[in-house]
Amino acid sequence: MQRPFLFFLTAVITGIIFGSYLPFPVSDLMICLSALLFLLLLGLFLRKPLLIIMSVMAILFLQGSLNIILLSHPFSPPVALPHTEDHKTILLEGMICESPQYSPENTQFVLQATRIFESESYTYKPFPVRVRLTTKWRSLLKYGDFIRCETHLRKPRNFNNPGGFDYEKRLRFEDISYLGFVNDKSRLIVLRERLGNCLITKIEEFRNRIRELINRNAPFPEQTVLQAMILGNSKEIPPSVLEKFNMTGTSHILAVSGFNVGLVALWTILIMRWIFKRSEYVMLRFNVIKLSLVSAFPPVILYTFIAGAGMSVLRATIMAMIFMIAIILDRRQDMLNTLAAAAVLILMISPDALFDISFQLSFAAVAAILLINPLLGGIPKHQDIPLESTRRAIWINKIKRNSLLFLVTTVSATLGTLPILAFYFNRISLIVLPANIVLVPILGLMALPLSMMVIAVSPLSNVLAGILIQCSAWLVKLSLYLVNFFAGLPGAAFYVCTPFLWQIAAFYILLFSSIWLI
């Protein structure tokens, strides 16, 4: 079967949607899965490809349903909170289990609570739940701190606005049972430090060191943009600046996503290939390209943790590594099937990703690029130019080809994500193409590589890291000026009504039918 993972992906997505809206009993799904596993083994024994494919699709369908049901309706009910009816302040203890999110006004973090103080009996009661707490000030809390705080906890709830964001569902997917707020520094105390995982603690210390270097060497608000690009913390960016990036359709540059991970992989591959080519022994006995791809795995994984290891970064890492594995296995001719394989793996690990806008935008953009960019097949490559051509002609042709490739890639990603952006944000930018053409080279191809070099250089020299940050900050300052210019143009963006699902489907059918006809 050609492109089997497209069928597998369809089965997984259908199963997740089915399980979200029609949650069947888990026991029934387990019985059906057992029967399908028997059919799969029978198909393998009889060597019946059709039976194998159909069994795998059915298993993926049921497994997707089972995963989302277990995520949405866990077996163990949440621990009851005492005195919820009295709205009393409670004394809570626990360890900060994720990297805190800092912003100018507050700090938000997830606490793995351990116990709660009972005021009536003057005793501690076990309280093993995950709580999201917010402080009114910018605190110096960090991963692994064991704290005691006075707070009032409440269950998450939606505002029930038509078409609004399902906040309860999002927090349920993150296994967060309660929300709390600490409005006074005197109501929070750190009892112990460095109680978390040793490796994660070291990485968090390195992240804090990078954050301090950025704050020392870059002015405001450039430092906030650099922190978003390197460390994945975009909450410190002023809302007015973030709004202008959203208006121009360039906010994707600020998010740690596949672009950042791909850049780390690309530079590692280029550097390692240059090193390997210096050795005649390696050149004669190994495939240098594949060896360079394998050597890119550790830096990509390390950067994933430095960038915070959030779900969007993890998804980007999985995508990048599956694409590199496909090239190593000589499967580069059908990257659409590889993209589908990455999506299947991500959805099996994290079925809630299907409802995440970052997942939808990432895969829509990459799928559109893979489908539209082959239109460049008729453009002559530099090796197709006659041998008598000068080196200057070869370079001119290469520049033309790469410029056109960048232009078509930008148009492809814009068309692929347009309906999704309209559905979630009810706004369409008319200047997204010229803004991306100008800003992506400055921020993405110049400032971002310099920022990535800070990670490699900072353990060796703070002075050199500071120089790189200052150069990056200058490029960010130029980008902010250009963003202000584009956002200030008349009619830069306009609001639209929320499209229906059939309208979104019709858009994609029309888009890809046009590509197929071309």
Side-chain angles (χ1 to χ4, degrees):
M1 178 187 291
Q2 189 178 14
R3 293 176 176 171
F5 278 100
L6 291 178
F7 295 94
F8 296 159
L9 178 60
T10 303
V12 174
I13 291 176
T14 308
I16 292 173
I17 295 173
F18 187 82
S20 299
Y21 295 100
L22 294 172
F24 273 76
V26 173
S27 57
D28 295 347
L29 292 177
M30 295 295 290
I31 293 172
C32 294
L33 271 174
S34 302
L36 288 169
L37 286 172
F38 175 77
L39 281 177
L40 176 60
L41 293 174
L42 183 63
L44 292 171
F45 179 75
L46 298 176
R47 297 183 180 179
K48 299 290 185 181
L50 183 59
L51 180 60
I52 295 172
I53 294 294
M54 297 303 294
S55 299
V56 171
M57 289 183 64
I59 289 171
L60 290 174
F61 173 86
L62 290 180
Q63 190 63 52
S65 298
L66 182 63
N67 290 347
I68 197 68
I69 290 171
L70 292 176
L71 195 60
S72 304
H73 306 88
F75 287 121
S76 56
V79 179
L81 178 68
H83 305 307
T84 52
E85 69 278 6
D86 297 331
H87 298 284
K88 291 183 178 179
T89 300
I90 61 172
L91 194 63
L92 182 68
E93 291 185 3
M95 188 193 79
I96 298 175
C97 57
E98 294 182 7
S99 177
Q101 296 293 316
Y102 304 102
S103 66
E105 301 83 16
N106 57 50
T107 301
Q108 192 176 84
F109 57 93
V110 177
L111 186 76
Q112 180 60 61
T114 56
R115 61 181 187 173
I116 193 171
F117 184 71
E118 280 276 18
S119 58
E120 293 181 352
S121 59
Y122 291 94
T123 58
Y124 282 97
K125 176 184 177 182
F127 194 63
V129 298
R130 281 164 58 92
V131 180
R132 176 174 288 175
L133 292 175
T134 303
T135 64
K136 192 176 180 180
W137 67 99
R138 182 189 172 99
S139 63
L140 298 177
L141 297 171
K142 55 189 179 298
Y143 167 82
D145 286 350
F146 190 88
I147 67 168
R148 177 187 293 160
C149 64
E150 290 184 6
T151 181
H152 169 67
L153 298 183
R154 62 177 178 85
K155 279 189 166 295
R157 60 178 182 270
N158 292 329
F159 292 104
N160 297 320
N161 294 325
F165 177 65
D166 194 341
Y167 190 53
E168 290 182 40
K169 185 177 182 181
R170 181 71 262 168
L171 292 182
R172 191 162 60 247
F173 286 157
E174 297 178 14
D175 195 25
I176 293 175
S177 303
Y178 294 97
L179 302 175
F181 188 77
V182 183
N183 58 6
D184 190 348
K185 292 183 180 181
S186 63
R187 296 180 182 271
L188 188 150
I189 183 172
V190 178
L191 300 178
R192 293 186 295 277
E193 297 181 342
R194 300 173 66 91
L195 294 184
N197 181 276
C198 295
L199 177 61
I200 298 178
T201 301
K202 291 291 185 182
I203 293 173
E204 286 299 319
E205 290 175 353
F206 184 72
R207 281 167 51 84
N208 291 332
R209 182 181 175 185
I210 296 292
R211 185 180 291 110
E212 292 172 2
L213 280 172
I214 293 173
N215 291 336
R216 285 203 306 264
N217 293 280
F220 184 87
E222 288 84 353
Q223 60 182 225
T224 63
V225 176
L226 288 175
Q227 286 189 34
M229 293 170 61
I230 301 175
L231 303 175
N233 181 21
S234 60
K235 288 193 173 183
E236 295 199 41
I237 299 178
S240 58
V241 175
L242 195 58
E243 172 65 14
K244 290 175 182 177
F245 275 96
N246 291 331
M247 283 183 63
T248 55
T250 54
S251 56
H252 62 92
I253 308 175
L254 304 180
V256 176
S257 59
F259 187 82
N260 306 57
V261 176
L263 200 62
V264 172
L266 175 64
W267 279 104
T268 305
I269 291 167
L270 293 176
I271 292 171
M272 295 307 298
R273 189 176 66 174
W274 182 85
I275 293 173
F276 291 144
K277 284 186 175 180
R278 305 279 76 77
S279 170
E280 184 178 343
Y281 176 85
V282 174
M283 289 284 291
L284 292 175
R285 287 166 176 78
F286 300 99
N287 186 317
V288 173
I289 294 178
K290 293 184 178 181
L291 200 60
S292 304
L293 286 164
V294 172
S295 64
F297 280 39
V300 167
I301 295 172
L302 178 62
Y303 174 70
T304 301
F305 287 100
I306 292 174
M311 283 309 301
S312 60
V313 187
L314 290 173
R315 287 195 292 267
T317 302
I318 292 173
M319 286 176 63
M321 296 185 73
I322 287 181
F323 273 101
M324 289 191 291
I325 291 171
I327 297 174
I328 292 172
L329 299 177
D330 296 320
R331 293 290 187 269
R332 71 180 75 188
Q333 299 302 322
D334 196 351
M335 285 300 178
L336 196 61
N337 192 55
T338 304
L339 178 67
V344 169
L345 179 59
I346 291 170
L347 292 177
M348 293 302 290
I349 297 173
S350 176
D352 58 301
L354 181 63
F355 308 104
D356 190 351
I357 182 174
S358 64
F359 174 86
Q360 297 171 12
L361 289 174
S362 297
F363 278 89
V366 176
I369 290 170
L370 292 176
L371 288 168
I372 296 176
N373 274 23
L375 295 175
L376 289 175
I379 301 176
K381 301 179 182 179
H382 64 274
Q383 60 261 33
D384 299 329
I385 300 177
L387 293 176
E388 60 272 12
S389 300
T390 62
R391 183 180 294 272
R392 180 171 176 271
I394 294 175
W395 274 101
I396 290 175
N397 179 268
K398 183 182 289 188
I399 292 172
K400 288 181 179 178
R401 178 178 174 79
N402 290 337
S403 300
L404 187 56
L405 177 64
F406 171 73
L407 177 63
V408 173
T409 300
T410 304
V411 173
S412 304
T414 301
L415 292 175
T417 57
L418 187 63
I420 301 175
L421 293 172
F423 181 82
Y424 284 103
F425 301 110
N426 299 104
R427 184 165 63 179
I428 293 177
S429 175
L430 297 179
I431 56 170
V432 60
L433 187 58
N436 274 276
I437 289 174
V438 173
L439 290 172
V440 168
I442 297 175
L443 275 180
L445 302 181
M446 296 171 66
L448 188 57
L450 289 175
S451 303
M452 296 295 104
M453 289 174 64
V454 173
I455 297 175
V457 168
S458 59
L460 306 175
S461 171
N462 286 343
V463 176
L464 184 55
I467 294 173
L468 292 173
I469 291 172
Q470 291 169 12
C471 295
S472 301
W474 185 86
L475 292 170
V476 170
K477 184 177 181 179
L478 175 62
S479 300
L480 292 177
Y481 173 80
L482 294 171
V483 166
N484 289 332
F485 169 75
F486 283 115
L489 294 176
F494 64 94
Y495 288 93
V496 296
C497 60
T498 303
F500 295 103
L501 293 179
W502 69 266
Q503 292 173 322
I504 296 176
F507 175 88
Y508 283 121
I509 290 172
L510 179 62
L511 174 63
F512 294 124
S513 298
S514 303
I515 296 168
W516 182 77
L517 289 173
I518 293 174

